[in-house]
Amino acid sequence: MNIKEIGKQAIYDEAEAVRDLAEKIDDEFEKAVDLMISCKGKVIVTGVGKSGHVGAKIAATLASTGTPSFFINPLDVYHGDLGVMTHDDVVLAISNSGQTDELLRFIPMVLHMGIPIIGMTGNPMSLLAKYSDCHLNVGVKKEACPLNLAPTSSTTATLVMGDALAIALMQKRQFRPQDFAHLHPGGELGKRLLTTAHDVMRRDDLPVFAPEMHLGEAIILVSKGKLGLGVAEAEGRIVGIITDGDIRRAMERWQAEFFDRTVSDIMTREPKTVSPDTKITEIQRIMQQYKIHSVLVVDDDKRLLGVVDSYSCMI
């Protein structure tokens, strides 16, 4: 018994099930997306057993990508949870066989309330498929289980179909990174998408000098500033910037004449600037595009407010 080969074969079987699933995306899929996008209430996902576990994940993915959704166990419906459902909702019912008794006993209640049903099963001829407003076929040729019994390929296919719905809905809603951040404020991505230059910029003891200053003096201020740069100002406005790299190259070029040169001889006259409300993600994009490690934060009059460097973006 080659354990590694058994593991590989299980992955191959599930990968094949996912590849075959793409061919099952049809008009019913588009109808399901339309039902969910036009839903004025919530998408209520339901299922029993392994389908229920997968359904809970699908509901969480939908909710986190802009489609109000939650999971409900059909068994709980018989004990009062039916009260959470309204006529504005849509039900996504999941069952591989489409014949799960607990789920089928729940369906008449949904039909009585006039709530649209999206059925997701591996059996297009099942009762659940029959009573659904649209049906998503997640049938697989075989399970990865050697007995062809344990839900493996079928649950993977169901999970992937749920992701396909979520992605299609994101596109229809024109869901943006900023929207994702607002729904994930506690995560690292949310913090980066919501944090602005104003939140992380250094404001105090900035290395600022006049463009006429000799480089021998300027290099001391740049070193004390510990930002790897210095800002040249004239009449309170930014006129240029010099970096450690500029200083090194100037030393190599002018050698003994270096100390006779001024900041204006080496400064970059149009440094990259951002406003205080610029998001950290945009600042990172600018740094990557122009291969720089810092940007200057300025007000509407181009007056220096602070500096954001690459380390400040590591939140």
Side-chain angles (χ1 to χ4, degrees), residues 189-249:
L189 176 60
K191 289 179 181 178
R192 289 198 296 111
L193 288 169
L194 294 174
T195 302
T196 65
H198 179 270
D199 297 324
V200 300
M201 69 182 185
R202 175 172 157 183
R203 302 172 174 83
D204 303 322
D205 301 320
L206 299 176
V208 177
F209 33 66
E212 302 84 22
M213 180 179 284
H214 286 92
L215 290 177
E217 299 175 81
I219 194 174
I220 296 174
L221 294 178
V222 171
S223 179
K224 287 182 177 179
K226 297 180 180 180
L227 285 171
L229 58 80
V231 182
E233 285 189 348
E235 299 180 356
R237 299 179 185 277
I238 299 170
V239 294
I241 186 175
I242 64 172
T243 66
D244 284 340
D246 295 329
I247 293 171
R248 286 194 300 273
R249 287 185 290 272

Side-chain angles (χ1 to χ4, degrees), residues 144-180:
C145 165
L147 302 177
N148 198 31
L149 294 174
T152 45
S153 298
S154 58
T155 49
T156 299
T158 303
L159 183 65
V160 171
M161 182 65 81
D163 287 341
L165 286 171
I167 298 304
L169 288 164
M170 287 177 69
Q171 294 285 347
K172 290 273 283 188
R173 296 184 191 280
Q174 297 182 331
F175 197 75
R176 303 165 302 165
Q178 294 90 332
D179 301 318
F180 189 89

